[in-house]
Amino acid sequence: MGAVEILVISLTSSLCLYFLLTLIRGLHKLWWTPIHMKSQLSSQGIKGPSYRFFHGSTKEILNMKKEAMSRPMNLSHDIFSTILPHVHSWVDKYGNNYLQWFGPKAELVVTEPELIKDIMNNRDNAYPKPETGNYTKKLLGDGLVTSEGEKWAKMRKLANYAFHAESLKNMIPSMISSVEVMLERWKHHEGKEIDVSEEFRLLTSEVISRTAFGSSYLEGKSIFQMLMKLGLISSRNTYKLRFPGISKIYKTNDEIESEELVKGIHNAILEIVKKREEKVMTGEGNNIGGDFLQLLVEAHHDTNASLKISIEDLVDECKTFYIAGQETTSTLLVWTIFLLAIHTDWQEKARKEVLNLFGQQNPNPDGITKLKTMGMIINESLRLYPPVIAITRKVEREVKLGKLTLPANLLLYIPTLAPHHDPKI
């Protein structure tokens, strides 16, 4: 047998071995691990929908959501069955805690308050944040919402410093000024409908731009618009799975558009950072004060390696606060106005409290802390319409949760809407 024949046989054997190992790894991940995980949990009384090869429960969830969203809603706060129809249905069918599948990954849905408390307390770091999905990663990067450990502690310290009580007090004049501009605009709509969702989106965009980034909504307008588009793309791809590595060969329209948006957001934020750095160099930065952007820029230029942050960290934090600081607050304001429009008795109670505390004057920090009725209204809005409808965590190692023994690598899904809308609670 010649050298060429030996080489061909050797290469063929190597390829066969490679494909065999790939097949075994694939079957282990897509079949053996899910079956083993299901067996471990079902032996403890945890039930749930059947595991479907590769897709898990995702196709079923997508179909249930599509059907729920097609049904018209009356003027009711029962949004649980519309927003998370699968959880609403499966809690009834399988119990308060059940097992569903995010592709081949087992996901324990937890709705019992005591178990949720244990997970969120995370005393022994047994429940870290899971790896971020592709689109969420593009949207928030590795910022405060998604990071863990030392990096999270470093970024949290910066945010705490920028938004501590005294800083928030100093932001009140800017907030009042932005509200006054909005109310002046509303005077031209007297007797007409106002799209409060759009109005509050503009208001919160202006407030976060002025208080955190020392700019205006117009300066950051393109960033907000691109983040909104990216958020919509991320939302509609939550339960869509793709085979690993296929995006290197073929990209969907959403993947192409999201990559372009990420580049656009990155460049737009860098432009704002560059302007701030130029102001600091010319001495103008001294008049800005210690807003969030200033603290991020200073941390990026810090000579102490343990305090220094990279340019990617700086951009990710800006993205996080642009979207989280604007979107969640805007959502809360819209639903609060909606609820007050329905419950005119509470509207009168709130108005009376505000007038008793401030009269015709602008709100001040001391008075704001005494707004008890308004506090109750805001909390009730957050209960009925939470800006974040679910929280995910991962089991780092085998751990006891209540009476359950949870295996490592199990995903945990906490649907905020479930306890919020539970009549027993």
Side-chain angles (χ1 to χ4, degrees):
M1 191 182 291
V4 174
E5 286 88 345
I6 293 169
L7 183 61
V8 169
I9 291 166
S10 175
L11 283 170
T12 306
S13 301
S14 297
L15 280 170
C16 288
L17 184 62
Y18 172 77
F19 282 120
L20 183 63
L21 287 171
T22 303
L23 181 65
I24 291 167
R25 274 199 296 267
L27 286 171
H28 186 271
K29 182 181 178 180
L30 300 174
W31 181 74
W32 165 249
T33 302
I35 298 300
H36 182 61
M37 196 76 87
K38 185 179 181 180
S39 172
Q40 282 181 285
L41 290 162
S42 61
S43 67
Q44 301 177 66
I46 297 293
K47 301 170 187 173
S50 301
Y51 168 66
R52 309 284 180 202
F53 189 77
F54 181 72
H55 291 287
S57 311
T58 54
K59 279 190 172 180
E60 211 171 339
I61 291 169
L62 277 170
N63 289 334
M64 290 170 88
K65 284 171 86 74
K66 191 175 178 181
E67 196 272 325
M69 294 301 278
S70 69
R71 293 194 302 263
M73 274 189 78
N74 57 14
L75 199 59
S76 156
H77 305 309
D78 180 24
I79 62 167
F80 184 20
S81 58
T82 303
I83 306 297
L84 296 174
H86 56 295
V87 180
H88 186 263
S89 172
W90 290 340
V91 162
D92 271 354
K93 191 173 181 179
Y94 302 115
N96 287 331
N97 310 307
Y98 71 87
L99 190 66
Q100 65 182 26
W101 302 90
F102 186 74
K105 294 176 182 176
E107 197 170 56
L108 181 67
V109 178
V110 182
T111 66
E112 285 182 33
E114 290 309 311
L115 300 187
I116 292 171
K117 281 182 196 173
D118 282 351
I119 295 165
M120 298 310 295
N121 280 333
N122 194 21
R123 285 194 186 90
D124 302 314
N125 298 317
Y127 308 110
K129 295 169 189 172
E131 286 177 27
T132 315
N134 182 31
Y135 285 101
T136 308
K137 189 85 173 172
K138 288 173 180 173
L139 185 63
L140 297 170
D142 196 20
L144 193 62
V145 174
T146 54
S147 60
E148 279 279 89
E150 283 182 25
K151 183 172 184 178
W152 177 86
K154 187 195 288 186
M155 304 316 286
R156 179 62 191 251
K157 192 176 177 182
L158 278 171
N160 280 353
Y161 189 78
F163 299 103
H164 63 78
E166 204 55 43
S167 292
L168 290 174
K169 281 182 186 179
N170 295 333
M171 293 176 188
I172 290 173
S174 292
M175 294 178 186
I176 289 170
S177 175
S178 297
V179 173
E180 285 173 341
V181 169
M182 181 185 75
L183 293 178
E184 192 60 38
R185 196 164 59 241
W186 285 14
K187 285 178 184 175
H188 303 297
H189 290 79
E190 201 168 333
K192 301 172 189 172
E193 265 188 15
I194 292 174
D195 182 352
V196 288
S197 179
E198 178 61 14
E199 287 292 320
F200 285 141
R201 188 185 68 77
L202 291 172
L203 171 69
T204 51
S205 301
E206 178 68 22
V207 169
I208 199 74
S209 296
R210 289 178 71 167
T211 57
F213 299 99
S215 60
S216 67
Y217 165 66
L218 286 174
E219 196 175 348
K221 186 178 179 181
S222 64
I223 297 172
F224 286 116
Q225 288 173 338
M226 287 187 284
L227 281 168
M228 212 157 83
K229 281 184 190 172
L230 193 53
L232 288 169
I233 292 171
S234 177
S235 177
R236 67 173 173 250
N237 282 278
T238 302
Y239 289 103
K240 290 180 183 176
L241 300 177
R242 305 199 79 203
F243 280 101
I246 201 164
S247 296
K248 292 176 182 174
I249 305 161
Y250 169 75
K251 290 187 193 301
T252 63
N253 288 337
D254 276 354
E255 283 176 316
I256 294 165
E257 188 181 358
S258 65
E259 283 174 10
E260 286 171 0
L261 287 167
V262 168
K263 284 178 192 169
I265 293 162
H266 188 272
N267 292 337
I269 290 173
L270 283 185
E271 194 60 37
I272 286 174
V273 170
K274 189 180 171 186
K275 283 180 184 175
R276 177 58 63 90
E277 286 176 329
E278 284 170 1
K279 282 184 178 178
V280 171
M281 293 291 285
T282 57
E284 286 181 67
N286 300 331
N287 304 322
I288 296 165
D291 66 12
F292 189 50
L293 179 61
Q294 187 68 22
L295 292 171
L296 289 173
V297 169
E298 286 171 5
H300 174 55
H301 290 285
D302 205 307
T303 51
N304 185 336
S306 64
L307 299 175
K308 188 180 174 70
I309 63 169
S310 68
I311 194 68
E312 285 75 21
D313 291 339
L314 193 157
V315 170
D316 287 347
E317 278 318 293
C318 287
K319 278 160 69 173
T320 297
F321 277 84
Y322 264 122
I323 196 160
Q326 179 265 329
E327 184 71 21
T328 53
T329 312
S330 173
T331 304
L332 167 61
L333 289 172
V334 172
W335 288 119
T336 303
I337 289 290
F338 170 70
L339 290 167
L340 286 172
I342 295 169
H343 300 279
T344 51
D345 53 337
W346 280 94
Q347 193 182 133
E348 286 307 316
K349 287 178 187 178
R351 187 176 285 110
K352 188 178 176 182
E353 181 183 59
V354 170
L355 289 172
N356 283 343
L357 277 167
F358 304 114
Q360 297 300 320
Q361 301 302 308
N362 280 331
N364 57 68
D366 294 333
I368 288 170
T369 60
K370 294 170 186 169
L371 288 168
K372 303 301 178 195
T373 303
M374 268 314 304
M376 289 161 68
I377 290 166
I378 287 168
N379 282 335
E380 182 64 352
S381 300
L382 287 168
R383 180 185 76 80
L384 288 168
Y385 299 97
V388 176
I389 57 166
I391 299 164
T392 54
R393 290 292 182 267
K394 186 180 86 172
V395 178
E396 183 71 9
R397 55 187 178 278
E398 187 176 283
V399 69
K400 285 285 286 184
L401 179 66
K403 293 177 182 177
L404 298 171
T405 301
L406 305 183
N409 299 317
L410 175 67
L411 293 177
L412 300 171
Y413 183 88
I414 301 166
T416 324
L417 281 176
H420 280 208
H421 285 255
D422 186 342
K424 297 188 202 81
I425 300 171

